[in-house]
C-alpha cells in the first residue's frame, strides 16, 4: 500500500517531462529552473522581503520546491521555510481570517514543510485553513466564492488557490472523503458555469447577476477570455487529476474539461510566437499582446495531458513544443548575470477589454516566475 506521505511527495514532485529544445541564446544556462530560482534569491536574499502571505509568493515558492526536489539544494528549502516562518508563530497559529481563496494557496507550503521537517507547527497552521474551508461560503450548487466580499461570484483564478491544497491536505491527513468530493464538485461547478463553446472559459460567473463587472443577463458570465484565469483552471485540473483515484466518478468529467481547453489552446495559439494573447480570442486587436505566465500554464497543461493520455492527436504535441519555445524566448540573462522573464501581466480583476489590454507588462513578476518553474520542471527535466 502506498502511504499518504508518498502520495503527497509524488504529487508535489515532478512527473518526468519530454525533453524539448533549450533557449537559443549563447549565454543560456544549462538549467533555466535553477537560474530563475537563484536569480530571484539573489535579488531578495532575505525571504521575508519576498512579500506578504499571498498567492504569488506561494506560486513561486511551490515552483522553487519542485526544483529543490530535483536538485536537492538545501538553500532552496531554507528560503521557503524562512518565508513561511514569518507568518506562523511558535504555536502554529496564523493571524489570518482566510476570507478569500487567494489567501489559501500558500497553504501548500505548510504541507511541504510539515512533510520535510516534521515540525507540528506547520500541520497546525494547515489545519487552520482546512477548518476555514468547512465554513467558507458557497453558491447554491457548491462553488466556493472567490472572496467573502464577492457574493456568489466564481472566478476561474480561484480554483488553483484552494482546491489543490485541500486535496493534498486530505490525502496527507486522512481527510480524503471530504477532499475528493469538495474538490471535484468545485471544479465541476466552476467549469460548467464558465465554459464557452469556443474551447475556452470566461473569466468569471456571478450567480446573482449583480457584480460590478456587469455579468451577461442570461449566462451570468463576464464578457472576455482573460488568459491567466484560464491558465489557473488548466493547471488545477492537472494537479487534481494526478492525485484523484482512477475510479473516481468525476474523473472522466475533469478529463473532458482538459480536452475542451486543449482544443481552445490549439485554436488560439499565436502561430508567429507560439504563445497566447492576454485576451485569448482577440489576436487581431492592435492593443493585444502575448502573455508569458498564461503561455507557461497552457504549455504545462498540454504537455501533462499528452503525457497522461488525457488528450491525443489534434496537433497537441506540436502546440506544446511551440508553446515551450515561445516562452523561452521571453527568458534571458541580463548583464548582471541574473535571469529576466518579461511580458507578465500584473494581478488582474474582472474587467472590460480595455482594462485587460492595459494591464502592466511586468518583468520578473512572481506570477510568471512561478508558472515558468512549474512548466519547465515538467518539460525540461
Amino acid at each position: 500500500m502506498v502511504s499518504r506521505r508518498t502520495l503527497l511527495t509524488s504529487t508535489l514532485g515532478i512527473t518526468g517531462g519530454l525533453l524539448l529544445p533549450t533557449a537559443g541564446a549563447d549565454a543560456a544556462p544549462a538549467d533555466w529552473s535553477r537560474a530563475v530560482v537563484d536569480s530571484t534569491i539573489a535579488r531578495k536574499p532575505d525571504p521575508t522581503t519576498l512579500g506578504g502571505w499571498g498567492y504569488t509568493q506561494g506560486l513561486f515558492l511551490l515552483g522553487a520546491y519542485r526544483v529543490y526536489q530535483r536538485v536537492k539544494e538545501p538553500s532552496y528549502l531554507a528560503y521557503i521555510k524562512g518565508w513561511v516562518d514569518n507568518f506562523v508563530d511558535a504555536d502554529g497559529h496564523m493571524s489570518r481570517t482566510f476570507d478569500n481563496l487567494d489567501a489559501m494557496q500558500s497553504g501548500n507550503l505548510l504541507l511541504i514543510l510539515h512533510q520535510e521537517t516534521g515540525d507540528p507547527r506547520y500541520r497546525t497552521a494547515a489545519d487552520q485553513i482546512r477548518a476555514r474551508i468547512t465554513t467558507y461560503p458557497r453558491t447554491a450548487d457548491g462553488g466556493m466564492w472567490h472572496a467573502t466580499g464577492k457574493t456568489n461570484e466564481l472566478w476561474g483564478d480561484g480554483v488553483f488557490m484552494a482546491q489543490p491544497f485541500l486535496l493534498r491536505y486530505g490525502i496527507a491527513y486522512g481527510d480524503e472523503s471530504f477532499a475528493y468530493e469538495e474538490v471535484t464538485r468545485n471544479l465541476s461547478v466552476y467549469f460548467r458555469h464558465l465554459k464557452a463553446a469556443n474551447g475556452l472559459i470566461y473569466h468569471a460567473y456571478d450567480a446573482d447577476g449583480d457584480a460590478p463587472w456587469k455579468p451577461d443577463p442570461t449566462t451570468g458570465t463576464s464578457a472576455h477570455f482573460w488568459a491567466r484565469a484560464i491558465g489557473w483552471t488548466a493547471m488545477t485540473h492537472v494537479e487534481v487529476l494526478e492525485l484523484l483515484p482512477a475510479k473516481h466518478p468525476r474523473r472522466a468529467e475533469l478529463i473532458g474539461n482538459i480536452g475542451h481547453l486543449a482544443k481552445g489552446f490549439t485554436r488560439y495559439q499565436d502561430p508567429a510566437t507560439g504563445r497566447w494573447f492576454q485576451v485569448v480570442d482577440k489576436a487581431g486587436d492592435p492593443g493585444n499582446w502575448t502573455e508569458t505566465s498564461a503561455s507557461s500554464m497552457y504549455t504545462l497543461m498540454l504537455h501533462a495531458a499528452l503525457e497522461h493520455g488525457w488528450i491525443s492527436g489534434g496537433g497537441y504535441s506540436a502546440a506544446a513544443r511551440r508553446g515551450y519555445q515561445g516562452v523561452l524566448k521571453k527568458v534571458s540573462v541580463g548583464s548582471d548575470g541574473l535571469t529576466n522573464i518579461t511580458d507578465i501581466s500584473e494581478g488582474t480583476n474582472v474587467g472590460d477589454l480595455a482594462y485587460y489590454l492595459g494591464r502592466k507588462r511586468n518583468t520578473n513578476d512572481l506570477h510568471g516566475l512561478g508558472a515558468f518553474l512549474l512548466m519547465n520542471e515538467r518539460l525540461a527535466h
Side-chain angles (χ1 to χ4, degrees), residues 48-206:
T48 64
T49 66
L50 191 65
W53 180 266
Y55 71 91
T56 57
Q57 291 79 9
L59 177 71
F60 166 73
L61 293 173
L62 178 62
Y65 177 70
R66 292 189 177 169
V67 182
Y68 165 79
Q69 287 187 294
R70 174 171 59 85
V71 304
K72 302 301 181 184
E73 170 53 56
S75 65
Y76 293 177
L77 189 63
Y79 193 84
I80 296 167
K81 186 176 185 299
W83 184 78
V84 171
D85 284 348
N86 198 42
F87 307 102
V88 179
D89 70 18
D91 298 319
H93 178 73
M94 301 185 69
S95 298
R96 313 205 109 62
T97 56
F98 301 106
D99 285 339
N100 59 78
L101 299 183
D102 290 351
M104 299 180 185
Q105 194 280 333
S106 293
N108 290 290
L109 304 178
L110 301 172
L111 305 179
I112 287 168
L113 290 174
H114 186 226
Q115 170 189 295
E116 292 284 351
T117 70
D119 189 332
R121 292 186 307 122
Y122 301 118
R123 165 71 192 273
T124 300
D127 289 346
Q128 192 174 335
I129 301 176
R130 167 63 184 85
R132 180 61 179 120
I133 288 174
T134 299
T135 63
Y136 195 84
R138 292 162 172 79
T139 59
D141 51 2
M144 295 172 66
W145 299 357
H146 192 68
T148 56
K150 299 185 185 301
T151 306
N152 280 316
E153 291 185 40
L154 308 179
W155 295 17
D157 326 29
V159 288
F160 190 83
M161 305 307 164
Q163 306 312 322
F165 162 80
L166 176 58
L167 191 53
R168 293 186 183 113
Y169 179 100
I171 291 172
Y173 303 130
D175 195 19
E176 294 100 331
S177 294
F178 177 84
Y180 291 152
E181 173 59 24
E182 187 68 25
V183 168
T184 58
R185 181 176 62 247
N186 267 274
L187 287 180
S188 177
V189 168
Y190 269 71
F191 210 89
R192 185 170 67 251
H193 288 305
L194 298 175
K195 184 178 180 180
N198 63 358
L200 302 175
I201 60 172
Y202 291 100
H203 188 174
Y205 162 80
D206 178 28

Side-chain angles (χ1 to χ4, degrees), residues 341-377:
I341 301 181
T342 59
D343 285 347
I344 304 164
S345 175
E346 64 182 328
T348 302
N349 293 314
V350 184
D352 59 17
L353 182 61
Y355 171 79
Y356 290 117
L357 299 185
R359 304 309 288 156
K360 289 181 181 177
R361 300 165 66 165
N362 290 336
T363 296
N364 298 328
D365 188 298
L366 294 177
H367 292 93
L369 300 186
F372 175 81
L373 292 173
L374 295 181
M375 177 203 70
N376 201 55
E377 283 303 294

Side-chain angles (χ1 to χ4, degrees), residues 111-336:
L111 305 179
I112 287 168
L113 290 174
H114 186 226
Q115 170 189 295
E116 292 284 351
T117 70
D119 189 332
R121 292 186 307 122
Y122 301 118
R123 165 71 192 273
T124 300
D127 289 346
Q128 192 174 335
I129 301 176
R130 167 63 184 85
R132 180 61 179 120
I133 288 174
T134 299
T135 63
Y136 195 84
R138 292 162 172 79
T139 59
D141 51 2
M144 295 172 66
W145 299 357
H146 192 68
T148 56
K150 299 185 185 301
T151 306
N152 280 316
E153 291 185 40
L154 308 179
W155 295 17
D157 326 29
V159 288
F160 190 83
M161 305 307 164
Q163 306 312 322
F165 162 80
L166 176 58
L167 191 53
R168 293 186 183 113
Y169 179 100
I171 291 172
Y173 303 130
D175 195 19
E176 294 100 331
S177 294
F178 177 84
Y180 291 152
E181 173 59 24
E182 187 68 25
V183 168
T184 58
R185 181 176 62 247
N186 267 274
L187 287 180
S188 177
V189 168
Y190 269 71
F191 210 89
R192 185 170 67 251
H193 288 305
L194 298 175
K195 184 178 180 180
N198 63 358
L200 302 175
I201 60 172
Y202 291 100
H203 188 174
Y205 162 80
D206 178 28
D208 299 327
D210 60 357
W213 39 266
K214 298 179 181 178
D216 182 283
T218 302
T219 65
T221 59
S222 55
H224 298 291
F225 302 104
W226 177 52
R228 194 162 60 225
I230 304 169
W232 289 123
T233 296
M235 286 205 306
T236 306
H237 277 73
V238 172
E239 300 270 341
V240 169
L241 281 166
E242 288 181 342
L243 263 184
L244 203 61
K247 295 184 178 180
H248 191 278
R250 286 200 181 102
R251 186 175 182 84
E253 178 185 354
L254 300 189
I255 292 174
N257 294 347
I258 289 272
H260 173 85
L261 293 176
K263 291 177 182 177
F265 293 172
T266 55
R267 178 180 183 181
Y268 291 108
Q269 185 176 30
D270 178 30
T273 67
R275 297 184 296 273
W276 286 266
F277 283 88
Q278 170 80 331
V279 179
V280 184
D281 64 329
K282 295 190 179 299
D285 191 296
N288 213 348
W289 48 283
T290 59
E291 200 281 326
T292 307
S293 67
S295 296
S296 298
M297 294 172 177
Y298 295 9
T299 300
L300 180 160
M301 190 210 81
L302 288 169
H303 172 72
L306 284 163
E307 187 178 55
H308 288 293
W310 301 331
I311 58 175
S312 62
Y316 297 135
S317 181
R321 179 171 277 103
R322 289 196 303 271
Y324 186 58
Q325 293 169 337
V327 169
L328 285 179
K329 289 178 181 177
K330 293 295 181 179
V331 188
S332 62
V333 178
S335 60
D336 57 0

